[in-house]
Amino acid sequence: MGRLLPFTIYHLLFANMNVLVLNCGSSTAKFQLIATDLDQIARDADEHLASGVIERIGGEAIITFSARGSEARRSTAPVRDTRAAVETVIRWVTSADSGIEEVKSVGDIHAVGHRVVHGGERFKQSVLIDEDVLRGIEDCIDLAPLHNPGNIRGIQAAREVFGPGLPQGAVFDTAFHQTLPPHAYLYALPYQWYRRYRVRRYGFHGTSHRYVAYRYRRLRGLAREQTNIITLHLGNGCSAAAIKGGDSLDTSMGMTPLEGLVMGTRSGDIDPAIIDFVGAKEGLSAQEVDLVLNKQSGLLGISGLTNDMRELLDESHESGDRRAGLAVEIFCYRVRKYVGAYLAAAGGADALVFTGGIGENSAEVRKRVCEGLGWMGVELDPAANQATTARREGLISREGSRLAVYVIPTDEELLIARDTVRLIRGVTQRF
Ligand code: ADP
């Protein structure tokens, strides 16, 4: 890839920006290309130009690209490393083949925004990346050994490919939850563990919780300080957050994403004594049990079938599979329990907001989570609940329901692109 145009003053002053949003994992790179700027943000008029994913980096990779929401195109090609993945993305978005009019050469990409999983206690907001920030992200590898190294490779790859002049933003999964008070983020463990090893609740999915909280207040015409809600991100990973006055007050994921709700393959909350007990019975090390808790538990572990909620619902309806039904029941029960806990923690709330693949699409899971919540003022509107799927946004509770219920599709990439633009434009106000 040839040398690229430096980021010019022209883009700072006039044109809107095409931001490449990267989410780089250990062997996967997801991307979106989003055209946005302060004016578009104010009008909610940002444009998603393209998206895609490169899987199995390091070998014969599976490449999926889609321009402007059109049918995804899949292909395979050898992709050596993260840098080669970023180059593959740029080659495609700038090619005539992609049909993206706005991006004809690398110079038409004006910034890169990265999803970074762990920002520890240092990163309380999104930041523009420099050497010092990069070192800070490296310092958090200890806390997220599976995630931060991939994110760092993504930052370095983008730097090599675009040159050091192109602004890059880092948006952290943990940052939104940095407003948790000590009584919510500290575990009842020896305090020295927090001091020495930073053992505490950090919480994840922060960009998603923050985005849906923003959409909620746009829908209701509220100020940030008036945002008092419980957000439920239910996807492969699942987490709940209590948001009070616009800030995260508590959240269900902990020092790692393992804690809290039942997830696709993660157990969520368990008695920690189980680790030693089962380890001794099965001859597994603590590390091996940890792997089971992360990869073979949750919906998959209970059902013995799949981690996929849609398949479990189908299976329990069509063949009456008992364990598939049980997995769904335990999943919904745990969510309901957290709703109750967070209403108590926050002193009430105005709304529940469902998001994530399950939260956005499954009217049945939403109904089952809300079952029995009538006493606290939840009255679902069955028709609205049924009709609100496939990335539709809206109210699914009855007029007059004391606790309103919304479905709001998440868009973490959009928030990453917006934060990157706001940082470049020097806008420091909180969102
Ligand atoms: P990730 O956390 O990996 O981004 P998603 O947010 O896409 O995952 O969520 C994936 C989950 O959403 C899967 O369990 C999938 O079965 C579930 N899901 C998607 N569509 C439906 C549906 N119509 N009904 C029930 N579950 C669904």
Side-chain angles (χ1 to χ4, degrees), residues 193-224:
W193 291 4
Y194 167 58
R195 277 227 196 93
R196 284 187 205 145
Y197 313 118
R198 300 182 285 176
V199 172
R200 53 159 283 179
R201 173 189 312 287
Y202 291 94
F204 299 86
H205 287 149
T207 315
S208 176
H209 290 290
R210 189 179 138 216
Y211 176 77
V212 298
Y214 157 81
R215 281 302 309 162
Y216 164 81
R217 60 176 198 266
R218 292 286 282 200
L219 283 174
R220 297 198 77 171
L222 300 172
R224 189 181 188 282

PDB file of all heavy atoms in Angstrom, residues 193-224:
ATOM      1  N   TRP A 193      -6.210  -6.630  47.511  1.00  0.00           N
ATOM      2  CA  TRP A 193      -6.299  -7.197  46.146  1.00  0.00           C
ATOM      3  C   TRP A 193      -6.695  -6.118  45.150  1.00  0.00           C
ATOM      4  O   TRP A 193      -6.274  -6.137  44.002  1.00  0.00           O
ATOM      5  CB  TRP A 193      -7.318  -8.343  46.089  1.00  0.00           C
ATOM      6  CG  TRP A 193      -6.883  -9.571  46.830  1.00  0.00           C
ATOM      7  CD1 TRP A 193      -5.753  -9.715  47.587  1.00  0.00           C
ATOM      8  CD2 TRP A 193      -7.584 -10.810  46.895  1.00  0.00           C
ATOM      9  NE1 TRP A 193      -5.704 -10.963  48.124  1.00  0.00           N
ATOM     10  CE2 TRP A 193      -6.812 -11.668  47.713  1.00  0.00           C
ATOM     11  CE3 TRP A 193      -8.767 -11.300  46.349  1.00  0.00           C
ATOM     12  CZ2 TRP A 193      -7.199 -12.971  47.984  1.00  0.00           C
ATOM     13  CZ3 TRP A 193      -9.160 -12.596  46.621  1.00  0.00           C
ATOM     14  CH2 TRP A 193      -8.380 -13.423  47.437  1.00  0.00           C
ATOM     15  N   TYR A 194      -7.527  -5.206  45.644  1.00  0.00           N
ATOM     16  CA  TYR A 194      -7.881  -4.061  44.781  1.00  0.00           C
ATOM     17  C   TYR A 194      -6.662  -3.160  44.606  1.00  0.00           C
ATOM     18  O   TYR A 194      -6.307  -2.777  43.496  1.00  0.00           O
ATOM     19  CB  TYR A 194      -9.053  -3.293  45.403  1.00  0.00           C
ATOM     20  CG  TYR A 194      -9.286  -1.940  44.772  1.00  0.00           C
ATOM     21  CD1 TYR A 194      -9.543  -1.821  43.406  1.00  0.00           C
ATOM     22  CD2 TYR A 194      -9.229  -0.778  45.537  1.00  0.00           C
ATOM     23  CE1 TYR A 194      -9.750  -0.587  42.823  1.00  0.00           C
ATOM     24  CE2 TYR A 194      -9.439   0.460  44.957  1.00  0.00           C
ATOM     25  CZ  TYR A 194      -9.689   0.553  43.601  1.00  0.00           C
ATOM     26  OH  TYR A 194      -9.883   1.779  43.019  1.00  0.00           O
ATOM     27  N   ARG A 195      -5.999  -2.855  45.734  1.00  0.00           N
ATOM     28  CA  ARG A 195      -4.836  -1.961  45.676  1.00  0.00           C
ATOM     29  C   ARG A 195      -3.723  -2.551  44.824  1.00  0.00           C
ATOM     30  O   ARG A 195      -3.149  -1.896  43.981  1.00  0.00           O
ATOM     31  CB  ARG A 195      -4.275  -1.772  47.086  1.00  0.00           C
ATOM     32  CG  ARG A 195      -4.985  -0.740  47.869  1.00  0.00           C
ATOM     33  CD  ARG A 195      -3.963   0.201  48.540  1.00  0.00           C
ATOM     34  NE  ARG A 195      -4.629   0.942  49.584  1.00  0.00           N
ATOM     35  CZ  ARG A 195      -4.646   0.534  50.856  1.00  0.00           C
ATOM     36  NH1 ARG A 195      -3.999  -0.530  51.240  1.00  0.00           N
ATOM     37  NH2 ARG A 195      -5.295   1.245  51.750  1.00  0.00           N
ATOM     38  N   ARG A 196      -3.407  -3.824  45.068  1.00  0.00           N
ATOM     39  CA  ARG A 196      -2.242  -4.420  44.413  1.00  0.00           C
ATOM     40  C   ARG A 196      -2.526  -4.831  42.975  1.00  0.00           C
ATOM     41  O   ARG A 196      -1.670  -4.678  42.110  1.00  0.00           O
ATOM     42  CB  ARG A 196      -1.817  -5.691  45.173  1.00  0.00           C
ATOM     43  CG  ARG A 196      -1.106  -5.417  46.441  1.00  0.00           C
ATOM     44  CD  ARG A 196      -0.579  -6.743  47.002  1.00  0.00           C
ATOM     45  NE  ARG A 196      -0.432  -6.627  48.437  1.00  0.00           N
ATOM     46  CZ  ARG A 196      -0.644  -7.602  49.296  1.00  0.00           C
ATOM     47  NH1 ARG A 196      -0.990  -8.800  48.874  1.00  0.00           N
ATOM     48  NH2 ARG A 196      -0.489  -7.408  50.580  1.00  0.00           N
ATOM     49  N   TYR A 197      -3.714  -5.431  42.771  1.00  0.00           N
ATOM     50  CA  TYR A 197      -3.936  -6.071  41.463  1.00  0.00           C
ATOM     51  C   TYR A 197      -5.101  -5.471  40.685  1.00  0.00           C
ATOM     52  O   TYR A 197      -5.502  -6.009  39.658  1.00  0.00           O
ATOM     53  CB  TYR A 197      -4.197  -7.582  41.665  1.00  0.00           C
ATOM     54  CG  TYR A 197      -3.210  -8.237  42.583  1.00  0.00           C
ATOM     55  CD1 TYR A 197      -3.627  -8.820  43.778  1.00  0.00           C
ATOM     56  CD2 TYR A 197      -1.841  -8.258  42.272  1.00  0.00           C
ATOM     57  CE1 TYR A 197      -2.723  -9.410  44.643  1.00  0.00           C
ATOM     58  CE2 TYR A 197      -0.932  -8.845  43.142  1.00  0.00           C
ATOM     59  CZ  TYR A 197      -1.378  -9.418  44.324  1.00  0.00           C
ATOM     60  OH  TYR A 197      -0.479  -9.996  45.178  1.00  0.00           O
ATOM     61  N   ARG A 198      -5.691  -4.421  41.210  1.00  0.00           N
ATOM     62  CA  ARG A 198      -6.808  -3.738  40.547  1.00  0.00           C
ATOM     63  C   ARG A 198      -8.041  -4.647  40.417  1.00  0.00           C
ATOM     64  O   ARG A 198      -8.793  -4.577  39.445  1.00  0.00           O
ATOM     65  CB  ARG A 198      -6.392  -3.205  39.172  1.00  0.00           C
ATOM     66  CG  ARG A 198      -5.242  -2.202  39.235  1.00  0.00           C
ATOM     67  CD  ARG A 198      -4.894  -1.654  37.890  1.00  0.00           C
ATOM     68  NE  ARG A 198      -4.153  -2.608  37.075  1.00  0.00           N
ATOM     69  CZ  ARG A 198      -3.794  -2.411  35.817  1.00  0.00           C
ATOM     70  NH1 ARG A 198      -4.123  -1.279  35.220  1.00  0.00           N
ATOM     71  NH2 ARG A 198      -3.121  -3.326  35.143  1.00  0.00           N
ATOM     72  N   VAL A 199      -8.199  -5.555  41.379  1.00  0.00           N
ATOM     73  CA  VAL A 199      -9.372  -6.438  41.360  1.00  0.00           C
ATOM     74  C   VAL A 199     -10.603  -5.623  41.766  1.00  0.00           C
ATOM     75  O   VAL A 199     -10.695  -5.150  42.906  1.00  0.00           O
ATOM     76  CB  VAL A 199      -9.176  -7.627  42.344  1.00  0.00           C
ATOM     77  CG1 VAL A 199     -10.474  -8.423  42.474  1.00  0.00           C
ATOM     78  CG2 VAL A 199      -8.051  -8.533  41.856  1.00  0.00           C
ATOM     79  N   ARG A 200     -11.511  -5.403  40.833  1.00  0.00           N
ATOM     80  CA  ARG A 200     -12.751  -4.662  41.070  1.00  0.00           C
ATOM     81  C   ARG A 200     -13.696  -4.929  39.910  1.00  0.00           C
ATOM     82  O   ARG A 200     -13.315  -5.544  38.921  1.00  0.00           O
ATOM     83  CB  ARG A 200     -12.492  -3.146  41.191  1.00  0.00           C
ATOM     84  CG  ARG A 200     -11.713  -2.548  40.015  1.00  0.00           C
ATOM     85  CD  ARG A 200     -11.902  -1.051  39.895  1.00  0.00           C
ATOM     86  NE  ARG A 200     -13.203  -0.765  39.308  1.00  0.00           N
ATOM     87  CZ  ARG A 200     -13.673   0.454  39.086  1.00  0.00           C
ATOM     88  NH1 ARG A 200     -12.962   1.505  39.437  1.00  0.00           N
ATOM     89  NH2 ARG A 200     -14.842   0.641  38.527  1.00  0.00           N
ATOM     90  N   ARG A 201     -14.918  -4.449  40.038  1.00  0.00           N
ATOM     91  CA  ARG A 201     -15.851  -4.540  38.922  1.00  0.00           C
ATOM     92  C   ARG A 201     -15.550  -3.392  37.950  1.00  0.00           C
ATOM     93  O   ARG A 201     -15.438  -2.234  38.353  1.00  0.00           O
ATOM     94  CB  ARG A 201     -17.281  -4.398  39.456  1.00  0.00           C
ATOM     95  CG  ARG A 201     -18.365  -4.314  38.405  1.00  0.00           C
ATOM     96  CD  ARG A 201     -19.709  -3.956  39.056  1.00  0.00           C
ATOM     97  NE  ARG A 201     -19.958  -4.797  40.212  1.00  0.00           N
ATOM     98  CZ  ARG A 201     -20.284  -6.077  40.122  1.00  0.00           C
ATOM     99  NH1 ARG A 201     -20.459  -6.634  38.951  1.00  0.00           N
ATOM    100  NH2 ARG A 201     -20.451  -6.791  41.206  1.00  0.00           N
ATOM    101  N   TYR A 202     -15.373  -3.727  36.686  1.00  0.00           N
ATOM    102  CA  TYR A 202     -15.188  -2.696  35.649  1.00  0.00           C
ATOM    103  C   TYR A 202     -16.434  -2.571  34.784  1.00  0.00           C
ATOM    104  O   TYR A 202     -16.849  -1.476  34.446  1.00  0.00           O
ATOM    105  CB  TYR A 202     -13.976  -3.022  34.768  1.00  0.00           C
ATOM    106  CG  TYR A 202     -12.670  -2.891  35.512  1.00  0.00           C
ATOM    107  CD1 TYR A 202     -12.088  -4.000  36.115  1.00  0.00           C
ATOM    108  CD2 TYR A 202     -12.044  -1.660  35.642  1.00  0.00           C
ATOM    109  CE1 TYR A 202     -10.903  -3.882  36.831  1.00  0.00           C
ATOM    110  CE2 TYR A 202     -10.858  -1.527  36.362  1.00  0.00           C
ATOM    111  CZ  TYR A 202     -10.293  -2.646  36.943  1.00  0.00           C
ATOM    112  OH  TYR A 202      -9.139  -2.524  37.659  1.00  0.00           O
ATOM    113  N   GLY A 203     -17.018  -3.722  34.456  1.00  0.00           N
ATOM    114  CA  GLY A 203     -18.186  -3.692  33.570  1.00  0.00           C
ATOM    115  C   GLY A 203     -17.760  -3.563  32.120  1.00  0.00           C
ATOM    116  O   GLY A 203     -16.682  -3.034  31.823  1.00  0.00           O
ATOM    117  N   PHE A 204     -18.592  -4.092  31.219  1.00  0.00           N
ATOM    118  CA  PHE A 204     -18.282  -4.054  29.778  1.00  0.00           C
ATOM    119  C   PHE A 204     -19.535  -3.640  29.006  1.00  0.00           C
ATOM    120  O   PHE A 204     -20.521  -3.266  29.630  1.00  0.00           O
ATOM    121  CB  PHE A 204     -17.749  -5.413  29.325  1.00  0.00           C
ATOM    122  CG  PHE A 204     -16.471  -5.769  30.046  1.00  0.00           C
ATOM    123  CD1 PHE A 204     -16.505  -6.398  31.284  1.00  0.00           C
ATOM    124  CD2 PHE A 204     -15.233  -5.407  29.531  1.00  0.00           C
ATOM    125  CE1 PHE A 204     -15.340  -6.683  31.981  1.00  0.00           C
ATOM    126  CE2 PHE A 204     -14.060  -5.696  30.221  1.00  0.00           C
ATOM    127  CZ  PHE A 204     -14.121  -6.340  31.449  1.00  0.00           C
ATOM    128  N   HIS A 205     -19.478  -3.727  27.681  1.00  0.00           N
ATOM    129  CA  HIS A 205     -20.603  -3.302  26.831  1.00  0.00           C
ATOM    130  C   HIS A 205     -20.933  -1.825  27.079  1.00  0.00           C
ATOM    131  O   HIS A 205     -22.058  -1.387  26.793  1.00  0.00           O
ATOM    132  CB  HIS A 205     -21.892  -4.097  27.129  1.00  0.00           C
ATOM    133  CG  HIS A 205     -21.890  -5.515  26.652  1.00  0.00           C
ATOM    134  ND1 HIS A 205     -22.584  -6.501  27.299  1.00  0.00           N
ATOM    135  CD2 HIS A 205     -21.313  -6.108  25.585  1.00  0.00           C
ATOM    136  CE1 HIS A 205     -22.421  -7.657  26.668  1.00  0.00           C
ATOM    137  NE2 HIS A 205     -21.637  -7.435  25.612  1.00  0.00           N
ATOM    138  N   GLY A 206     -19.983  -1.072  27.652  1.00  0.00           N
ATOM    139  CA  GLY A 206     -20.289   0.315  28.038  1.00  0.00           C
ATOM    140  C   GLY A 206     -20.745   1.159  26.857  1.00  0.00           C
ATOM    141  O   GLY A 206     -21.641   2.004  26.990  1.00  0.00           O
ATOM    142  N   THR A 207     -20.144   0.920  25.699  1.00  0.00           N
ATOM    143  CA  THR A 207     -20.502   1.720  24.517  1.00  0.00           C
ATOM    144  C   THR A 207     -21.948   1.440  24.120  1.00  0.00           C
ATOM    145  O   THR A 207     -22.667   2.347  23.706  1.00  0.00           O
ATOM    146  CB  THR A 207     -19.542   1.399  23.350  1.00  0.00           C
ATOM    147  OG1 THR A 207     -18.208   1.390  23.880  1.00  0.00           O
ATOM    148  CG2 THR A 207     -19.623   2.425  22.253  1.00  0.00           C
ATOM    149  N   SER A 208     -22.383   0.201  24.272  1.00  0.00           N
ATOM    150  CA  SER A 208     -23.755  -0.159  23.936  1.00  0.00           C
ATOM    151  C   SER A 208     -24.741   0.445  24.947  1.00  0.00           C
ATOM    152  O   SER A 208     -25.738   1.070  24.564  1.00  0.00           O
ATOM    153  CB  SER A 208     -23.902  -1.678  23.896  1.00  0.00           C
ATOM    154  OG  SER A 208     -25.235  -2.028  23.664  1.00  0.00           O
ATOM    155  N   HIS A 209     -24.464   0.299  26.225  1.00  0.00           N
ATOM    156  CA  HIS A 209     -25.358   0.873  27.246  1.00  0.00           C
ATOM    157  C   HIS A 209     -25.454   2.394  27.062  1.00  0.00           C
ATOM    158  O   HIS A 209     -26.522   2.979  27.178  1.00  0.00           O
ATOM    159  CB  HIS A 209     -24.855   0.535  28.652  1.00  0.00           C
ATOM    160  CG  HIS A 209     -24.993  -0.923  29.000  1.00  0.00           C
ATOM    161  ND1 HIS A 209     -26.206  -1.525  29.213  1.00  0.00           N
ATOM    162  CD2 HIS A 209     -24.060  -1.910  29.153  1.00  0.00           C
ATOM    163  CE1 HIS A 209     -26.031  -2.813  29.503  1.00  0.00           C
ATOM    164  NE2 HIS A 209     -24.731  -3.069  29.462  1.00  0.00           N
ATOM    165  N   ARG A 210     -24.321   3.009  26.763  1.00  0.00           N
ATOM    166  CA  ARG A 210     -24.304   4.468  26.602  1.00  0.00           C
ATOM    167  C   ARG A 210     -25.089   4.875  25.357  1.00  0.00           C
ATOM    168  O   ARG A 210     -25.837   5.845  25.369  1.00  0.00           O
ATOM    169  CB  ARG A 210     -22.831   4.891  26.470  1.00  0.00           C
ATOM    170  CG  ARG A 210     -22.625   6.369  26.522  1.00  0.00           C
ATOM    171  CD  ARG A 210     -21.130   6.667  26.397  1.00  0.00           C
ATOM    172  NE  ARG A 210     -20.949   7.787  25.508  1.00  0.00           N
ATOM    173  CZ  ARG A 210     -19.947   7.909  24.669  1.00  0.00           C
ATOM    174  NH1 ARG A 210     -19.016   6.978  24.575  1.00  0.00           N
ATOM    175  NH2 ARG A 210     -19.859   8.967  23.906  1.00  0.00           N
ATOM    176  N   TYR A 211     -24.935   4.104  24.275  1.00  0.00           N
ATOM    177  CA  TYR A 211     -25.638   4.446  23.034  1.00  0.00           C
ATOM    178  C   TYR A 211     -27.155   4.339  23.212  1.00  0.00           C
ATOM    179  O   TYR A 211     -27.902   5.237  22.825  1.00  0.00           O
ATOM    180  CB  TYR A 211     -25.173   3.557  21.871  1.00  0.00           C
ATOM    181  CG  TYR A 211     -25.959   3.851  20.620  1.00  0.00           C
ATOM    182  CD1 TYR A 211     -25.678   4.996  19.874  1.00  0.00           C
ATOM    183  CD2 TYR A 211     -27.010   3.040  20.203  1.00  0.00           C
ATOM    184  CE1 TYR A 211     -26.424   5.310  18.735  1.00  0.00           C
ATOM    185  CE2 TYR A 211     -27.761   3.342  19.079  1.00  0.00           C
ATOM    186  CZ  TYR A 211     -27.456   4.474  18.349  1.00  0.00           C
ATOM    187  OH  TYR A 211     -28.197   4.799  17.246  1.00  0.00           O
ATOM    188  N   VAL A 212     -27.622   3.239  23.815  1.00  0.00           N
ATOM    189  CA  VAL A 212     -29.083   3.100  23.929  1.00  0.00           C
ATOM    190  C   VAL A 212     -29.648   4.116  24.919  1.00  0.00           C
ATOM    191  O   VAL A 212     -30.788   4.585  24.752  1.00  0.00           O
ATOM    192  CB  VAL A 212     -29.558   1.646  24.232  1.00  0.00           C
ATOM    193  CG1 VAL A 212     -29.161   0.709  23.121  1.00  0.00           C
ATOM    194  CG2 VAL A 212     -29.078   1.148  25.565  1.00  0.00           C
ATOM    195  N   ALA A 213     -28.851   4.492  25.926  1.00  0.00           N
ATOM    196  CA  ALA A 213     -29.302   5.538  26.849  1.00  0.00           C
ATOM    197  C   ALA A 213     -29.456   6.858  26.085  1.00  0.00           C
ATOM    198  O   ALA A 213     -30.407   7.616  26.301  1.00  0.00           O
ATOM    199  CB  ALA A 213     -28.311   5.692  27.997  1.00  0.00           C
ATOM    200  N   TYR A 214     -28.526   7.109  25.165  1.00  0.00           N
ATOM    201  CA  TYR A 214     -28.597   8.327  24.344  1.00  0.00           C
ATOM    202  C   TYR A 214     -29.844   8.301  23.451  1.00  0.00           C
ATOM    203  O   TYR A 214     -30.595   9.270  23.367  1.00  0.00           O
ATOM    204  CB  TYR A 214     -27.308   8.435  23.517  1.00  0.00           C
ATOM    205  CG  TYR A 214     -27.453   9.267  22.270  1.00  0.00           C
ATOM    206  CD1 TYR A 214     -27.383  10.657  22.331  1.00  0.00           C
ATOM    207  CD2 TYR A 214     -27.673   8.663  21.032  1.00  0.00           C
ATOM    208  CE1 TYR A 214     -27.545  11.423  21.184  1.00  0.00           C
ATOM    209  CE2 TYR A 214     -27.832   9.416  19.887  1.00  0.00           C
ATOM    210  CZ  TYR A 214     -27.773  10.795  19.969  1.00  0.00           C
ATOM    211  OH  TYR A 214     -27.932  11.542  18.843  1.00  0.00           O
ATOM    212  N   ARG A 215     -30.074   7.152  22.793  1.00  0.00           N
ATOM    213  CA  ARG A 215     -31.248   7.048  21.908  1.00  0.00           C
ATOM    214  C   ARG A 215     -32.539   7.205  22.707  1.00  0.00           C
ATOM    215  O   ARG A 215     -33.499   7.830  22.261  1.00  0.00           O
ATOM    216  CB  ARG A 215     -31.277   5.693  21.185  1.00  0.00           C
ATOM    217  CG  ARG A 215     -30.377   5.538  19.995  1.00  0.00           C
ATOM    218  CD  ARG A 215     -30.620   6.541  18.901  1.00  0.00           C
ATOM    219  NE  ARG A 215     -31.992   6.654  18.486  1.00  0.00           N
ATOM    220  CZ  ARG A 215     -32.493   7.696  17.808  1.00  0.00           C
ATOM    221  NH1 ARG A 215     -31.723   8.711  17.489  1.00  0.00           N
ATOM    222  NH2 ARG A 215     -33.755   7.715  17.461  1.00  0.00           N
ATOM    223  N   TYR A 216     -32.551   6.621  23.900  1.00  0.00           N
ATOM    224  CA  TYR A 216     -33.744   6.723  24.754  1.00  0.00           C
ATOM    225  C   TYR A 216     -34.066   8.189  25.030  1.00  0.00           C
ATOM    226  O   TYR A 216     -35.202   8.632  24.883  1.00  0.00           O
ATOM    227  CB  TYR A 216     -33.499   5.958  26.064  1.00  0.00           C
ATOM    228  CG  TYR A 216     -34.476   6.299  27.164  1.00  0.00           C
ATOM    229  CD1 TYR A 216     -35.740   5.708  27.199  1.00  0.00           C
ATOM    230  CD2 TYR A 216     -34.143   7.217  28.168  1.00  0.00           C
ATOM    231  CE1 TYR A 216     -36.644   6.032  28.205  1.00  0.00           C
ATOM    232  CE2 TYR A 216     -35.035   7.547  29.169  1.00  0.00           C
ATOM    233  CZ  TYR A 216     -36.282   6.959  29.181  1.00  0.00           C
ATOM    234  OH  TYR A 216     -37.180   7.284  30.169  1.00  0.00           O
ATOM    235  N   ARG A 217     -33.055   8.962  25.388  1.00  0.00           N
ATOM    236  CA  ARG A 217     -33.394  10.345  25.732  1.00  0.00           C
ATOM    237  C   ARG A 217     -33.721  11.170  24.490  1.00  0.00           C
ATOM    238  O   ARG A 217     -34.496  12.110  24.565  1.00  0.00           O
ATOM    239  CB  ARG A 217     -32.323  10.994  26.602  1.00  0.00           C
ATOM    240  CG  ARG A 217     -30.956  11.096  26.050  1.00  0.00           C
ATOM    241  CD  ARG A 217     -30.077  11.857  27.058  1.00  0.00           C
ATOM    242  NE  ARG A 217     -28.896  12.344  26.407  1.00  0.00           N
ATOM    243  CZ  ARG A 217     -27.753  11.717  26.379  1.00  0.00           C
ATOM    244  NH1 ARG A 217     -27.639  10.559  26.994  1.00  0.00           N
ATOM    245  NH2 ARG A 217     -26.718  12.228  25.752  1.00  0.00           N
ATOM    246  N   ARG A 218     -33.177  10.756  23.326  1.00  0.00           N
ATOM    247  CA  ARG A 218     -33.598  11.425  22.084  1.00  0.00           C
ATOM    248  C   ARG A 218     -35.066  11.113  21.802  1.00  0.00           C
ATOM    249  O   ARG A 218     -35.827  11.997  21.413  1.00  0.00           O
ATOM    250  CB  ARG A 218     -32.755  10.949  20.894  1.00  0.00           C
ATOM    251  CG  ARG A 218     -31.310  11.363  20.937  1.00  0.00           C
ATOM    252  CD  ARG A 218     -31.121  12.797  20.627  1.00  0.00           C
ATOM    253  NE  ARG A 218     -31.195  13.073  19.198  1.00  0.00           N
ATOM    254  CZ  ARG A 218     -30.706  14.151  18.634  1.00  0.00           C
ATOM    255  NH1 ARG A 218     -30.116  15.079  19.367  1.00  0.00           N
ATOM    256  NH2 ARG A 218     -30.804  14.337  17.338  1.00  0.00           N
ATOM    257  N   LEU A 219     -35.437   9.845  21.980  1.00  0.00           N
ATOM    258  CA  LEU A 219     -36.833   9.448  21.708  1.00  0.00           C
ATOM    259  C   LEU A 219     -37.813  10.183  22.608  1.00  0.00           C
ATOM    260  O   LEU A 219     -38.900  10.556  22.188  1.00  0.00           O
ATOM    261  CB  LEU A 219     -37.003   7.934  21.946  1.00  0.00           C
ATOM    262  CG  LEU A 219     -36.481   7.000  20.864  1.00  0.00           C
ATOM    263  CD1 LEU A 219     -36.580   5.555  21.318  1.00  0.00           C
ATOM    264  CD2 LEU A 219     -37.285   7.192  19.583  1.00  0.00           C
ATOM    265  N   ARG A 220     -37.403  10.391  23.866  1.00  0.00           N
ATOM    266  CA  ARG A 220     -38.328  11.014  24.819  1.00  0.00           C
ATOM    267  C   ARG A 220     -38.102  12.513  24.980  1.00  0.00           C
ATOM    268  O   ARG A 220     -38.806  13.156  25.752  1.00  0.00           O
ATOM    269  CB  ARG A 220     -38.193  10.341  26.189  1.00  0.00           C
ATOM    270  CG  ARG A 220     -38.581   8.887  26.125  1.00  0.00           C
ATOM    271  CD  ARG A 220     -38.873   8.312  27.470  1.00  0.00           C
ATOM    272  NE  ARG A 220     -40.186   8.705  27.967  1.00  0.00           N
ATOM    273  CZ  ARG A 220     -40.725   8.165  29.057  1.00  0.00           C
ATOM    274  NH1 ARG A 220     -40.096   7.249  29.735  1.00  0.00           N
ATOM    275  NH2 ARG A 220     -41.908   8.554  29.475  1.00  0.00           N
ATOM    276  N   GLY A 221     -37.099  13.032  24.271  1.00  0.00           N
ATOM    277  CA  GLY A 221     -36.834  14.471  24.372  1.00  0.00           C
ATOM    278  C   GLY A 221     -36.369  14.887  25.755  1.00  0.00           C
ATOM    279  O   GLY A 221     -36.771  15.926  26.282  1.00  0.00           O
ATOM    280  N   LEU A 222     -35.522  14.057  26.368  1.00  0.00           N
ATOM    281  CA  LEU A 222     -35.049  14.357  27.719  1.00  0.00           C
ATOM    282  C   LEU A 222     -33.613  14.848  27.706  1.00  0.00           C
ATOM    283  O   LEU A 222     -32.866  14.606  26.753  1.00  0.00           O
ATOM    284  CB  LEU A 222     -35.106  13.079  28.569  1.00  0.00           C
ATOM    285  CG  LEU A 222     -36.469  12.412  28.747  1.00  0.00           C
ATOM    286  CD1 LEU A 222     -36.310  11.065  29.431  1.00  0.00           C
ATOM    287  CD2 LEU A 222     -37.398  13.326  29.544  1.00  0.00           C
ATOM    288  N   ALA A 223     -33.220  15.489  28.797  1.00  0.00           N
ATOM    289  CA  ALA A 223     -31.815  15.858  28.976  1.00  0.00           C
ATOM    290  C   ALA A 223     -31.068  14.643  29.539  1.00  0.00           C
ATOM    291  O   ALA A 223     -31.693  13.727  30.089  1.00  0.00           O
ATOM    292  CB  ALA A 223     -31.703  17.014  29.949  1.00  0.00           C
ATOM    293  N   ARG A 224     -29.748  14.689  29.412  1.00  0.00           N
ATOM    294  CA  ARG A 224     -28.931  13.579  29.917  1.00  0.00           C
ATOM    295  C   ARG A 224     -29.234  13.288  31.388  1.00  0.00           C
ATOM    296  O   ARG A 224     -29.404  12.140  31.795  1.00  0.00           O
ATOM    297  CB  ARG A 224     -27.455  13.946  29.740  1.00  0.00           C
ATOM    298  CG  ARG A 224     -26.495  12.828  30.021  1.00  0.00           C
ATOM    299  CD  ARG A 224     -25.059  13.293  29.832  1.00  0.00           C
ATOM    300  NE  ARG A 224     -24.151  12.163  29.916  1.00  0.00           N
ATOM    301  CZ  ARG A 224     -23.779  11.604  31.060  1.00  0.00           C
ATOM    302  NH1 ARG A 224     -24.232  12.059  32.207  1.00  0.00           N
ATOM    303  NH2 ARG A 224     -22.962  10.559  31.065  1.00  0.00           N
TER     304      ARG A 224
END
